[in-house]
Amino acid sequence: MEKEQNEIILRNLKLGVDSTFKTVYESNRIPFLNFARKYNLSHDEIIDVYQDTYIIFYENVMSGKIKSFTSSISTYLFSIGKYLILNKLKKNKKNIAIELVVVKEDVEDSFEFNTNDLSKEQKLLYKYFETLSVQCQKLLTLFYYRGYTIKEIVKEGNYNNENVVKSQKSRCMKTLKERIKANTGN
Amino acid sequence: MIKKELLYHYFSGTLTVAQELEFNELLKKDSAFKKQFEFEKNLKVAIKKKQHQILKTKLQNFEQEIELTKQPTTTKLKLWMAAASIVLLVSAGWYFQNLSTSIDYKTLYATNYSKYPNTIYSITRDSVIDTSLVYKAFEAYEASDYSKSITLFQELKNTNNPEYVDFYLAQAYLNNHQLDKAIDTFKNIIKNHKEFSTESLWYLSLAYLKSEHPEKAKKALKLLVENGNYKKTESLKLLKKLS
C-alpha cells in the first residue's frame, strides 16, 4: 500500500504535478522542522534550509537520480537537510567539520547538488535566457533541465516532428548567443 | 557522426561507448566543438539556476499560505505544549501501575469519554452521492464503524494527509480498543503541535485511564488544567477521583 502510494507520488513529481509538489512539501514540513531544531538555527533559517532541501530532493527525482523510494521521503529529506545544515554551520565549529566529513561521503554519492555560484559566462546566460521567447525557454528547459528527449518534446509541445524541434532548438541557442554577443562583445 | 548529434546524445545521456570515444576525441582536438560543448554545459547550469529560483518562490508562497492559515497561538500555549511533550516523552519510561487501589479505571473512562464530533466534513445523507474518501471516512466514523474508518483515515493520510486526520484516526483507534496506537498518535499530535493538540491531551489522559496507567493520565490532566480552559472542570474532577 505504502509502496504503491510512493510510486504514485514519484510518478506525479516527475510529471511536474503541482498539487503533489505542494502536498509532499507540506506533509514533510513539520517532521523536518522538528528534526532540524536540534541544530540551533532560527525558525527562518530552518525554513530556508527545508526549501533548499526540498528543491534538491525534487530535482533528484526529476533527473532520475532517485529512481524509486527505498526509504520514506522524510528519510531522504533528513539526509539532504543534515548535509546542508552542517555545511552552513561548519565555518565556526570544528566538531561539525568532522561530522560533515562522515555525512558528506554518503550524501554526495546519493544526490546531485549543484548549488555552486554561477561563473561569469553562466550569469550572462542566465540573464539573456530570460529575454528569449516563452517557447524557446520552454523547449530548452525541457531538454536541459527536465532531461526530455527530442521525441518527448515533440509530444509535449505539439510539434510536427523531431526535425522541427531540432531546428528550433538550434535557432533558440543561436539567438541566445547573438544577444550575449551584441550586449557584451563576447 | 554529426557533431550536433553527439552533443545531443551527450546531454540526453544516450551516448554509446563508441560515441563516447568519438566525443572525447573531439573535445581534445576540435576547439569549436569544445566551445559549443562548454556553451551548452553552462546553459544547462543557468537554466537549472533559474528553475531553482522559480521553485524557491513557489515554496515561499506555500510558506506564506501556511502562516496565514495558522491559528493564532499564544506564547503561553506554545510553552505548555512544549512542556507537555517533554513531560510525556520523559515519563514514558518510568510509570508505575497502581494495582492496589480499587478505582475502576474502565468505568471512569466510560463516564468521561464522549466521541469527538465530526467537525470536518458534513455528512448530509441527501440524494446526492458523495464518493470522496473523506466523506466515506467520516461516514464510517459517524456510524461508529471504527475499523472501517481506521482503514479510510489511513488511506486519507497516505494521500492528502490533511492535518486533522491523525486526530480522528486516534479517536477511531481509541474506540477500536487499539490503545497503544491511540496513545502514540495523540502523543505525536501534541509533540508536533498539530491541529487538535489541546483536545489530544484530554483524550490522551482518557486513553491512559482506559489502559490503566493512572499516573500518566494524571500528568496529562494536570497539564491540561494548568494551561487552558478546555475540559478544565472535567479534568479537575477526574484528578480528584484519581488522587
Side-chain angles (χ1 to χ4, degrees), chain B residues 1-30:
Chain B
M1 189 172 211
I2 304 167
K3 291 172 190 174
K4 236 183 212 172
E5 288 289 311
L6 276 177
L7 283 166
Y8 162 63
H9 284 297
Y10 174 87
F11 285 103
S12 297
T14 52
L15 277 181
T16 63
V17 179
Q19 286 167 349
E20 200 176 330
L21 285 174
E22 196 183 346
F23 182 87
N24 288 333
E25 274 303 298
L26 277 170
L27 267 192
K28 273 186 224 157
K29 289 177 185 162
D30 188 332

Side-chain angles (χ1 to χ4, degrees), chain B:
Chain B
M1 189 172 211
I2 304 167
K3 291 172 190 174
K4 236 183 212 172
E5 288 289 311
L6 276 177
L7 283 166
Y8 162 63
H9 284 297
Y10 174 87
F11 285 103
S12 297
T14 52
L15 277 181
T16 63
V17 179
Q19 286 167 349
E20 200 176 330
L21 285 174
E22 196 183 346
F23 182 87
N24 288 333
E25 274 303 298
L26 277 170
L27 267 192
K28 273 186 224 157
K29 289 177 185 162
D30 188 332
S31 65
F33 181 79
K34 188 167 192 277
K35 204 177 162 193
Q36 179 61 22
F37 169 67
E38 292 294 337
F39 173 82
E40 290 189 37
K41 210 169 84 176
N42 284 330
L43 177 60
K44 185 177 170 158
V45 175
I47 293 175
K48 198 166 184 181
K49 187 83 177 178
K50 187 171 157 59
Q51 289 302 315
H52 268 230
Q53 285 317 121
I54 294 170
L55 290 172
K56 185 89 183 176
T57 311
K58 226 178 196 177
L59 296 180
Q60 283 163 345
N61 290 338
F62 292 170
E63 273 307 316
Q64 272 180 357
E65 279 175 36
I66 292 170
E67 284 302 316
L68 285 175
T69 51
K70 232 190 219 170
Q71 283 177 353
T73 47
T74 62
T75 318
K76 197 179 160 194
L77 188 69
K78 278 186 188 162
L79 274 176
W80 79 257
M81 290 277 198
S85 52
I86 290 164
V87 170
L88 289 168
L89 286 173
V90 170
S91 66
W94 57 275
Y95 66 90
F96 64 91
Q97 280 179 290
N98 195 345
L99 296 167
S100 57
T101 62
S102 56
I103 301 174
D104 182 355
Y105 299 119
K106 293 227 158 45
T107 312
L108 262 187
Y109 166 81
T111 48
N112 279 281
Y113 177 79
S114 62
K115 176 166 122 184
Y116 197 86
N118 160 22
T119 58
I120 303 294
Y121 203 82
S122 156
I123 307 290
T124 49
R125 292 187 182 83
D126 59 17
S127 55
V128 184
I129 298 162
D130 189 342
T131 55
S132 69
L133 185 55
V134 53
Y135 181 94
K136 284 193 270 179
F138 279 106
E139 193 187 36
Y141 180 75
E142 282 194 14
S144 301
D145 187 349
Y146 296 113
S147 67
K148 188 178 175 190
S149 69
I150 288 171
T151 312
L152 294 167
F153 281 134
Q154 272 169 341
E155 213 173 304
L156 194 59
K157 189 175 162 67
N158 289 332
T159 47
N160 296 335
N161 197 17
E163 205 173 335
Y164 62 76
V165 76
D166 283 347
F167 180 68
Y168 284 96
L169 186 57
Q171 290 282 336
Y173 281 141
L174 189 54
N175 281 291
N176 206 38
H177 312 292
Q178 292 171 269
L179 293 177
D180 288 347
K181 282 191 172 172
I183 289 171
D184 283 345
T185 313
F186 282 130
K187 270 162 66 170
N188 201 29
I189 295 167
I190 298 164
K191 200 170 78 186
N192 293 320
H193 304 189
K194 283 192 175 168
E195 210 177 337
F196 297 115
S197 297
T198 316
E199 289 86 337
S200 292
L201 204 49
W202 166 250
Y203 285 100
L204 178 65
S205 72
L206 293 180
Y208 279 142
L209 266 191
K210 198 176 183 183
S211 62
E212 305 197 339
H213 291 138
E215 290 306 315
K216 286 185 178 183
K218 271 154 76 176
K219 279 201 177 93
L221 289 169
K222 277 179 191 161
L223 281 164
L224 197 54
V225 172
E226 281 163 23
N227 296 288
N229 285 319
Y230 180 75
K231 294 278 180 192
K232 194 169 188 170
T233 324
E234 290 90 328
S235 300
L236 284 170
K237 271 189 200 163
L238 247 182
L239 274 170
K240 213 171 165 186
K241 281 186 184 160
L242 288 171
S243 59

Side-chain angles (χ1 to χ4, degrees), chain A residues 1 5 18 21-23 25-27 29-30 34 43 47-48 51-52 54-55 58-59 112-116 118-119 121-122 125-126 129-130 137 140-141 143-145 149-150 166 169-170 173 176-177, chain B residues 4-5 7-9 11-12 14 36 38-53 55-56 58-63 65-67 70 154-155 158-161 163 191-194:
Chain A
M1 172 90 189
Q5 207 53 56
D18 261 347
F21 180 74
K22 191 176 182 186
T23 318
Y25 177 83
E26 286 176 348
S27 57
R29 183 177 170 273
I30 289 182
N34 286 331
H43 178 74
I47 294 286
D48 197 47
Q51 292 176 341
D52 292 342
Y54 190 66
I55 292 171
Y58 179 66
E59 289 187 332
E112 281 166 14
F113 281 84
N114 279 350
T115 45
N116 296 337
L118 295 185
S119 68
E121 292 79 16
Q122 289 161 353
L125 284 163
Y126 182 90
F129 177 76
E130 290 186 338
Q137 288 190 32
L140 294 174
T141 303
F143 184 79
Y144 290 104
Y145 179 72
T149 60
I150 298 290
K166 281 182 188 169
K169 180 172 169 284
S170 299
M173 288 205 286
L176 186 57
K177 278 182 192 168
Chain B
K4 236 183 212 172
E5 288 289 311
L7 283 166
Y8 162 63
H9 284 297
F11 285 103
S12 297
T14 52
Q36 179 61 22
E38 292 294 337
F39 173 82
E40 290 189 37
K41 210 169 84 176
N42 284 330
L43 177 60
K44 185 177 170 158
V45 175
I47 293 175
K48 198 166 184 181
K49 187 83 177 178
K50 187 171 157 59
Q51 289 302 315
H52 268 230
Q53 285 317 121
L55 290 172
K56 185 89 183 176
K58 226 178 196 177
L59 296 180
Q60 283 163 345
N61 290 338
F62 292 170
E63 273 307 316
E65 279 175 36
I66 292 170
E67 284 302 316
K70 232 190 219 170
Q154 272 169 341
E155 213 173 304
N158 289 332
T159 47
N160 296 335
N161 197 17
E163 205 173 335
K191 200 170 78 186
N192 293 320
H193 304 189
K194 283 192 175 168

Side-chain angles (χ1 to χ4, degrees), chain A:
Chain A
M1 172 90 189
E2 200 186 332
K3 203 179 163 214
E4 281 167 20
Q5 207 53 56
N6 278 342
E7 273 170 23
I8 295 171
I9 291 176
L10 189 72
R11 199 176 58 223
N12 285 346
L13 282 178
K14 272 195 124 163
L15 285 171
V17 175
D18 261 347
S19 58
T20 307
F21 180 74
K22 191 176 182 186
T23 318
V24 175
Y25 177 83
E26 286 176 348
S27 57
N28 287 285
R29 183 177 170 273
I30 289 182
F32 188 93
L33 300 193
N34 286 331
F35 149 80
R37 248 172 225 143
K38 64 177 175 192
Y39 291 102
N40 227 350
L41 297 169
S42 71
H43 178 74
D44 288 350
E45 282 173 317
I46 295 177
I47 294 286
D48 197 47
V49 171
Y50 179 48
Q51 292 176 341
D52 292 342
T53 299
Y54 190 66
I55 292 171
I56 290 168
F57 165 76
Y58 179 66
E59 289 187 332
N60 276 274
V61 168
M62 297 273 267
S63 71
K65 180 93 184 171
I66 299 176
K67 286 189 183 70
S68 63
F69 294 138
T70 49
S71 47
S72 69
I73 293 177
S74 57
T75 311
Y76 285 97
L77 294 171
F78 290 176
S79 58
I80 298 169
K82 187 172 182 184
Y83 176 80
L84 292 186
I85 292 170
L86 293 176
N87 255 324
K88 205 178 167 96
L89 295 174
K90 73 174 174 193
K91 283 165 198 154
N92 35 23
K93 282 180 189 166
K94 257 188 188 160
N95 54 341
I96 282 173
I98 295 163
E99 199 182 347
L100 181 62
V101 175
V102 182
V103 174
K104 210 172 174 171
E105 231 171 86
D106 207 24
V107 174
E108 285 185 352
D109 275 353
S110 315
F111 307 103
E112 281 166 14
F113 281 84
N114 279 350
T115 45
N116 296 337
D117 290 334
L118 295 185
S119 68
K120 198 180 146 207
E121 292 79 16
Q122 289 161 353
K123 276 183 190 157
L124 283 171
L125 284 163
Y126 182 90
K127 186 177 169 190
Y128 289 98
F129 177 76
E130 290 186 338
T131 70
L132 292 176
S133 69
V134 175
Q135 205 181 13
C136 271
Q137 288 190 32
K138 191 179 169 192
L139 198 164
L140 294 174
T141 303
L142 285 176
F143 184 79
Y144 290 104
Y145 179 72
R146 301 284 301 271
Y148 277 40
T149 60
I150 298 290
K151 216 178 206 167
E152 285 166 330
I153 297 175
V154 172
K155 218 171 148 193
E156 171 83 19
N158 284 326
Y159 292 98
N160 288 333
N161 58 53
E162 293 182 30
N163 285 334
V164 180
V165 176
K166 281 182 188 169
S167 58
Q168 200 191 345
K169 180 172 169 284
S170 299
R171 271 204 308 278
C172 295
M173 288 205 286
K174 195 171 165 229
T175 312
L176 186 57
K177 278 182 192 168
E178 283 168 359
R179 292 211 177 139
I180 293 176
K181 200 173 179 187
N183 286 284
T184 63
N186 278 346

